């Protein structure tokens, strides 16, 4: 990919020495009693980025559920089995107990710093933490529907209640607003401890506004008034180019390599091929991103494995070598993602500056160029009648859902949760039905709650199940108002 990123990466130094003082032998130097707030923040970022970009079937199945990839021999996860490996518990643990716990503790430690000369820096650090926590909590709502939120991360309350997803969203919007207002681009923040933006507060302000757009568009079918006010208030301060994107630049050496490289290349396993759902659509559109997305043509063509069925690895196309590099960046939020949200907003009549067609074209352009395509590729692609906004498939009175949903899905490649969420909200593109199911209505619209919650937090779990109307995979999250298209 032809991207240029200037991101500082935290380097930890270890000092080993000797002492003749007896009390030093009773000090656990590997687990200091107080961990610096910046270190906790860095670790929280790393845990979050790894979870978002992971592809281990024990930890993240969303690239499968977005039907970008499918499995070869073991096809349980592509058939929506998340119980055998207890995947909901692992996902919940990585978000709550790994990332959010560290970010919350970082905020506590930082807030207790007393140097009066650094109060503005402290304020910036605390507001950046609020933004990242909001991002993580939104993902949890989008996965489970209801989550422990107002009583979460409190060591004194081991039985937290589950909060309604719509209420969590409203509170997240308010907190993101407050965080943006509390940031000062003229002051410092985390410096090199910030793995995403290298301490650049102006970038975090853009991230916060882009997150507001993401929060707003997610609730557009459920609460259009709040959605519009949230998006309109954020659009002028959001990402303006690929240079603003939020990502982690992975490194060539362990343990800071991209999780895809660790899971697929280092293990030597051949568990995945690209799925026919995705490959067939890109072939039909003659999409110029195919050479950057896939490798291993079969008789001169890219061929996807049948989604949710057993597939011989050698018979189908594979994930591109570029994506499987140790240093391939891990994306948190991209410019093209935001542009497609704004295209939606324009179609919904929200007061955003550009038309839906303009945002749609900008989203496609950004995606193709950032994946290594040329402007000529863009022009040729946008000239196709099945891609051009005025002539692309329009199957209903709200045909924009199909064309925006399809192109957003393509542009979000590797960002499985965002792609699956777009499918759930817009009900496009049309997904394939895996081997062990009979209808698109069987495709999950949420994760079931962790099994551990049923035993350790039984009362609050039961209240959440009653509020949601069950704990099945096909229960709809509050913002999911329509059925998928077949």
């Amino acid at each position: 990919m032809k991207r240029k990123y200037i991101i500082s990466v935290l380097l930890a130094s270890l000092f080993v020495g000797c002492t003749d003082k007896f009390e030093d032998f009773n000090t656990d130097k590997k687990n200091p009693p107080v961990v610096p707030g910046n270190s906790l923040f860095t670790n929280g970022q790393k845990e979050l980025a790894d979870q978002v970009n992971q592809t281990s079937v024990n930890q993240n199945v969303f690239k499968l559920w977005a039907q970008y990839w499918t499995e070869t021999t073991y096809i349980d996860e592509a058939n929506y089995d998340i119980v055998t490996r207890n995947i909901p518990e692992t996902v919940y643990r990585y978000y709550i107990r790994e990332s959010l716990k560290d970010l919350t503790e970082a905020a506590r430690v930082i807030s207790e710093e007393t140097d009066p000369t650094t109060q503005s820096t402290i304020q910036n650090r605390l507001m950046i933490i609020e933004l990242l926590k909001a991002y993580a909590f939104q993902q949890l709502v989008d996965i489970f529907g209801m989550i422990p939120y107002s009583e979460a991360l409190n060591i004194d309350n081991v039985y937290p209640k589950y909060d309604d997803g719509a209420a969590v969203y409203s509170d997240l919007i308010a907190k993101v607003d407050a965080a943006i207002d509390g940031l000062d681009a003229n002051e410092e923040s985390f410096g090199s401890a910030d793995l995403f933006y290298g301490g650049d507060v102006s970038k975090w302000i853009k991230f916060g506004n882009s997150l507001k757009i993401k929060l707003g568009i997610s609730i557009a079918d459920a609460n259009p008034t709040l959605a519009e006010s949230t998006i309109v208030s954020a659009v002028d301060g959001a990402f303006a180019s690929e240079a603003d994107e939020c990502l982690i630049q992975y490194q060539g050496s362990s343990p800071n390599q991209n999780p895809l490289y660790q899971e697929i290349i280092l293990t030597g396993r051949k568990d995945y091929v690209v799925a026919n759902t995705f490959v067939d659509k890109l072939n039909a559109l003659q999409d110029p991103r195919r050479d950057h997305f896939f490798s291993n043509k079969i008789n001169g063509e890219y061929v996807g494995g049948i989604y949710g069925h057993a597939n011989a690895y050698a018979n189908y196309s594979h994930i591109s070598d570029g994506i499987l590099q140790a240093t391939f960046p891990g994306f948190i939020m991209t410019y093209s993602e935001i542009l497609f949200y704004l295209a939606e907003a324009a179609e919904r009549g929200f007061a955003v500056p550009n038309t839906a067609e303009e945002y749609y074209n900008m989203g496609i352009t950004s995606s193709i160029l950032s994946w290594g395509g040329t402007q000529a590729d863009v022009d040729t692609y946008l000239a196709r009648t099945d891609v051009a906004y005025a002539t692309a498939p329009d199957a209903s009175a709200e045909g924009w859902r199909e064309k925006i949903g399809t192109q957003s899905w393509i542009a979000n490649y590797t960002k499985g949760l965002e792609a699956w969420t777009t499918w759930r909200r817009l009900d496009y593109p049309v997904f394939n039905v895996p081997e062990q199911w009979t209808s698109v209505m069987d495709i999950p619209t949420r994760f079931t709650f962790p099994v551990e919650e049923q035993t350790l937090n039984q009362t609050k779990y039961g209240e959440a199940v009653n509020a949601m109307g069950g704990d099945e995979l096909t229960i709809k999250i509050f913002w999911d108002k329509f059925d998928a298209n077949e």
Side-chain angles (χ1 to χ4, degrees):
M1 296 173 62
K2 296 182 180 177
R3 298 177 180 265
K4 295 182 180 179
Y5 301 107
I6 304 174
I7 293 185
S8 300
V9 179
L10 180 68
L11 300 176
S13 299
L14 301 177
F15 298 93
V16 180
C18 300
T19 180
D20 57 0
K21 296 182 179 180
F22 178 76
E23 59 268 21
D24 282 358
F25 290 101
N26 291 319
T27 301
D28 185 351
K29 296 181 179 180
K30 292 185 178 179
N31 296 284
V34 178
V35 180
N38 281 15
S39 298
L40 287 163
F41 173 76
T42 302
N43 197 63
Q45 282 188 307
K46 177 66 162 49
E47 293 287 356
L48 179 61
D50 285 354
Q51 170 57 31
V52 168
N53 290 282
Q54 180 61 259
T55 192
S56 165
V57 291
N58 296 297
Q59 188 175 337
N60 186 328
V61 296
F62 300 120
K63 294 176 183 64
L64 294 173
W65 284 20
Q67 300 201 8
Y68 290 144
W69 303 347
T70 192
E71 294 169 296
T72 52
T73 304
Y74 306 104
I75 62 173
D76 292 350
E77 290 72 32
N79 279 275
Y80 315 130
D81 178 358
I82 57 174
V83 176
T84 300
R85 297 180 187 272
N86 201 8
I87 299 169
E89 172 62 30
T90 306
V91 169
Y92 186 82
R93 174 167 61 85
Y94 272 93
Y95 278 103
I96 293 285
R97 302 176 200 170
E98 305 296 338
S99 180
L100 281 164
K101 177 184 173 184
D102 278 354
L103 292 172
T104 300
E105 181 65 8
R108 184 192 67 78
V109 173
I110 290 168
S111 66
E112 293 176 355
E113 296 179 11
T114 57
D115 185 348
T117 66
T118 62
Q119 288 307 300
S120 58
T121 300
I122 290 172
Q123 172 77 359
N124 276 341
R125 290 152 70 200
L126 292 174
M127 295 303 98
I128 288 169
I129 289 172
E130 282 294 296
L131 292 178
L132 268 190
K133 287 176 66 178
Y135 174 91
F137 273 121
Q138 182 193 14
Q139 295 220 326
L140 281 168
V141 174
D142 292 350
I143 293 168
F144 293 102
M146 292 182 67
I147 59 168
Y149 175 70
S150 59
E151 295 181 1
L153 302 168
N154 180 358
I155 196 171
D156 296 322
N157 183 3
V158 296
Y159 307 112
K161 71 173 184 177
Y162 283 70
D163 291 278
D164 173 71
V168 175
Y169 257 76
S170 294
D171 193 62
L172 291 178
I173 290 168
K175 285 184 174 177
V176 171
D177 265 333
I180 293 169
D181 290 342
L183 286 169
D184 186 345
N186 296 314
E187 300 292 342
E188 297 180 353
S189 64
F190 287 101
S192 61
D194 176 5
L195 300 180
F196 295 169
Y197 285 127
D200 188 334
V201 178
S202 66
K203 298 290 189 184
W204 279 109
I205 293 172
K206 290 183 178 182
F207 174 86
N209 280 295
S210 300
L211 181 57
K212 281 182 64 178
I213 292 171
K214 183 176 182 179
L215 287 161
I217 206 65
S218 294
I219 61 172
D221 286 328
N223 189 341
T225 301
L226 179 58
E228 180 172 14
S229 63
T230 301
I231 292 169
V232 171
S233 66
V235 64
D236 289 338
F239 292 165
S241 73
E242 289 85 356
D244 298 326
E245 293 180 340
C246 187
L247 57 88
I248 183 171
Q249 182 60 63
Y250 283 110
Q251 304 298 297
S253 58
S254 181
N256 298 315
Q257 298 154 327
N258 191 298
L260 304 183
Y261 172 81
Q262 294 176 327
E263 178 67 20
I264 297 174
I265 300 300
L266 290 186
T267 64
R269 295 175 64 93
K270 294 179 170 61
D271 291 334
Y272 306 105
V273 293
V274 291
N276 64 331
T277 317
F278 195 51
V279 176
D280 290 352
K281 173 57 71 174
L282 269 65
N283 282 341
L285 298 176
Q286 292 293 293
D287 196 292
R289 288 163 286 193
R290 287 176 296 172
D291 290 343
H292 306 285
F293 288 173
F294 315 135
S295 67
N296 191 42
K297 289 183 176 180
I298 308 297
N299 296 323
E301 297 288 342
Y302 291 116
V303 180
I306 302 172
Y307 182 78
H309 292 246
N311 295 280
Y313 184 80
N315 293 346
Y316 299 99
S317 298
H318 305 151
I319 304 157
S320 77
D321 294 338
I323 291 171
L324 299 180
Q325 295 294 312
T327 56
F328 184 75
F331 297 104
I332 303 299
M333 195 155 54
T334 63
Y335 180 48
S336 60
E337 177 186 345
I338 301 305
L339 289 169
F340 285 112
Y341 295 153
L342 291 173
E344 273 192 62
E347 277 288 2
R348 294 173 186 275
F350 297 173
V352 292
N354 298 319
T355 66
E357 181 175 3
E358 288 169 336
Y359 283 125
Y360 173 90
N361 290 345
M362 291 165 66
I364 290 173
T365 300
S366 170
S367 178
I368 290 175
L369 293 180
S370 64
W371 278 98
T374 65
Q375 187 60 48
D377 292 332
V378 172
D379 295 341
T380 300
Y381 192 62
L382 287 175
R384 293 180 58 91
T385 56
D386 50 4
V387 173
Y389 202 77
T391 56
D394 190 352
S396 69
E398 288 198 329
W400 60 266
R401 291 176 179 266
E402 181 174 1
K403 48 196 165 191
I404 293 175
T406 299
Q407 287 296 332
S408 176
W409 173 61
I410 295 171
N412 274 325
Y413 185 52
T414 76
K415 292 167 51 242
L417 179 56
E418 278 70 28
W420 177 51
T421 297
T422 296
W423 174 82
R424 289 180 290 165
R425 289 192 306 102
L426 298 183
D427 307 299
Y428 283 102
V430 174
F431 276 179
N432 287 325
V433 179
E435 181 181 51
Q436 297 169 18
W437 300 93
T438 59
S439 165
V440 294
M441 301 306 295
D442 298 318
I443 299 176
T445 49
R446 64 180 286 271
F447 263 24
T448 51
F449 293 123
V451 174
E452 190 173 283
E453 284 290 289
Q454 300 176 32
T455 55
L456 300 183
N457 194 12
Q458 187 174 23
T459 299
K460 302 299 172 61
Y461 163 80
E463 292 171 356
V465 171
N466 287 336
M468 289 200 68
D471 190 19
E472 287 77 40
L473 289 169
T474 52
I475 294 288
K476 289 182 180 292
I477 292 174
F478 79 95
W479 42 247
D480 185 357
K481 295 297 184 182
F482 306 105
D483 290 335
N485 290 278
E486 299 192 59

